[in-house]
Amino acid sequence: MKRILITGGAGFLGSHLCDRLLKEGHDVLCVDNFFTGSKTNIAHLMGNPYFEIMRHDVTFPLYVEVDQIYNLACPASPVHYQFDPVQTTKTSVHGAINMLGLAKRVKARIFQASTSEVYGDPAVHPQPEGYWGHVNPIGPRSCYDEGKRCAETLFFDYHTQHNLDIKVVRIFNTYGPRMHPNDGRVVSNFIVQALKGEDITIYGDGSQTRSFCYVDDLIEGFVRMMGTEAGFTGPVNLGNPNEFSMLELAEKVLHLVGGQSKLVYQPLPIDDPRQRQPNIALAKEKLGWVPEVELEDGLKETIAYFRKLLAK
Ligand code: NAD
Ligand code: UDP
């Protein structure tokens, strides 16, 4: 049994990670300031004696004794991370410094949830880890993209300078139950709109692409990465290489939900990446990992979740 700290543990991905690590018999400390996460995501774990929750903002130092740290704290949806951009950068940068400092003091292995956004609007397609990216440093997405890039820099400098045991993954768009219904991400938006019979909002002409990974596949990748031998740092891309345009996604959601929703076109947000697809050769080689859940199957699970949520 390991004592494992998960920052952002009450969020979408964090709560699934809490489930998984408790199931494996670990002692889990979930730290969250509940900016985008919620107690309902982890309410089912509250009675478990090996689960502990602490309200804390990672931009402030944290003193706990743990064996491993998963650093997930950071709003992930453009609507939420652009709400208070200064706090977003602080969360990524000060949060990384505080968690790395903690890892250094207690000699813990530390995992960073980085993002495909470090590639920006990529000029190389699909994106391998060696690609340095094409990022606007002063646009509306910069607080998130540059914050996450700086966090990666800090992780690698702590590794080189202080010999810290780091594991860095770059997550591509992931979806599934417990996404926030109003966080503006495309999968939750389309499903909620279709379930409510509202118009489906396509930004731009809908030809931009993303590659969608189901949450269970991603969490499997996290755990495998954390279990790799010391010295293997990443960064490793984790995502599903099956790429879809937003129009294709809308059609799939409409087909699965049914109903009368129409597609409506709205302006494309500034700096919205045109395309995104992970090259996962490294994850295959080092983690023996490939995503297994097809988009249609993952969407069915997610639709069932939102159907229940909206009926409450
Ligand atoms: P989420 O918004 O559901 O979860 C983030 C969690 O962090 C929330 O519980 C939030 O309350 C918490 N948080 C935010 N700021 C904090 C702070 N200062 N101190 C403490 N807690 C704080 O998002 P998610 O989709 O679960 O994303 C989790 C991590 O994975 C994030 O770091 C995100 O950047 C990364 N990521 C996610 C995706 C994706 O598609 N879901 C893609 C790339 C990267
Ligand atoms: N998008 C859309 N309609 C929506 C929400 C998003 O067409 O209601 C588009 C958005 O412009 C982007 C893609 O879907 O091209 C993915 O957006 P999301 O916010 O989920 O993630 P990110 O842009 O960070 O990959």
Side-chain angles (χ1 to χ4, degrees):
M1 175 188 271
K2 290 198 170 63
R3 295 164 304 171
I4 304 180
L5 163 63
I6 304 176
T7 75
F12 161 48
L13 298 179
S15 63
H16 286 276
L17 185 60
C18 290
D19 286 346
R20 170 69 187 258
L21 296 177
L22 285 166
K23 220 174 266 167
E24 288 186 0
H26 297 295
D27 190 317
V28 172
L29 170 59
C30 164
V31 163
D32 205 296
N33 70 350
F34 301 111
F35 174 48
T36 52
S38 92
K39 284 189 185 161
T40 53
N41 285 340
I42 44 170
H44 60 290
L45 302 175
M46 298 287 194
N48 187 326
Y50 297 104
F51 181 68
E52 211 177 335
I53 177 149
M54 184 192 289
R55 181 188 290 268
H56 175 81
D57 185 321
V58 295
T59 61
F60 296 96
L62 177 67
Y63 295 91
V64 291
E65 308 305 315
V66 291
D67 306 306
Q68 292 188 343
I69 302 168
Y70 285 85
N71 187 37
L72 272 62
C74 187
S77 92
V79 171
H80 283 150
Y81 71 64
Q82 290 171 20
F83 172 76
D84 185 348
V86 173
Q87 174 67 11
T88 299
T89 304
K90 276 190 190 168
T91 294
S92 280
V93 177
H94 291 192
I97 290 171
N98 289 328
M99 292 310 115
L100 286 161
L102 170 62
K104 185 176 159 218
R105 183 177 67 79
V106 300
K107 299 190 172 45
R109 175 169 284 196
I110 181 166
F111 172 105
Q112 169 66 355
S114 191
T115 168
S116 55
E117 288 285 321
V118 301
Y119 303 123
D121 188 5
V124 169
H125 193 75
Q127 295 81 54
E129 289 84 353
Y131 176 51
W132 290 357
H134 178 225
V135 177
N136 178 356
I138 55 167
R141 298 175 82 100
S142 310
C143 58
Y144 183 75
D145 299 11
E146 297 289 22
K148 289 284 188 178
R149 285 169 67 96
C150 183
E152 284 201 14
T153 307
L154 284 161
F155 267 71
F156 280 85
D157 285 341
Y158 266 78
H159 171 68
T160 313
Q161 203 174 324
H162 300 298
N163 208 17
L164 235 67
D165 188 6
I166 63 161
K167 306 282 170 194
V168 178
V169 298
R170 292 181 178 155
I171 305 163
F172 285 65
N173 296 61
T174 301
Y175 70 99
R178 302 192 199 142
M179 291 184 90
H180 195 294
N182 301 322
D183 78 4
R185 282 188 266 192
V186 68
V187 174
S188 43
N189 262 15
F190 285 1
I191 292 177
V192 169
Q193 288 162 346
L195 286 171
K196 288 182 170 171
E198 293 171 356
D199 292 341
I200 306 277
T201 51
I202 307 277
Y203 300 162
D205 62 6
S207 64
Q208 72 273 31
T209 65
R210 295 292 185 275
S211 308
F212 297 102
C213 184
Y214 188 63
V215 61
D216 291 355
D217 279 334
L218 187 80
I219 298 298
E220 178 64 32
F222 280 16
V223 172
R224 287 190 190 208
M225 179 65 180
M226 200 54 147
T228 52
E229 78 277 13
F232 180 64
T233 58
V236 175
N237 287 338
L238 290 180
N240 191 319
N242 293 336
E243 185 180 352
F244 297 89
S245 72
M246 295 311 102
L247 273 179
E248 287 170 323
L249 177 71
E251 277 155 19
K252 267 195 194 298
V253 169
L254 272 178
H255 169 71
L256 292 172
V257 174
Q260 304 300 316
S261 296
K262 292 190 307 294
L263 304 187
V264 294
Y265 292 84
Q266 294 186 358
L268 192 66
I270 297 168
D271 292 340
D272 199 275
R274 287 287 322 146
Q275 54 183 4
R276 194 181 280 154
Q277 187 200 121
N279 175 326
I280 59 165
L282 188 62
K284 274 187 197 158
E285 181 199 328
K286 293 287 188 180
L287 317 181
W289 179 86
V290 279
E292 287 173 355
V293 180
E294 294 298 332
L295 181 61
E296 189 148 322
D297 296 328
L299 285 177
K300 281 183 191 159
E301 295 289 328
T302 315
I303 290 166
Y305 168 79
F306 280 116
R307 208 186 279 283
K308 230 190 233 166
L309 190 78
L310 295 179
K312 274 184 190 161

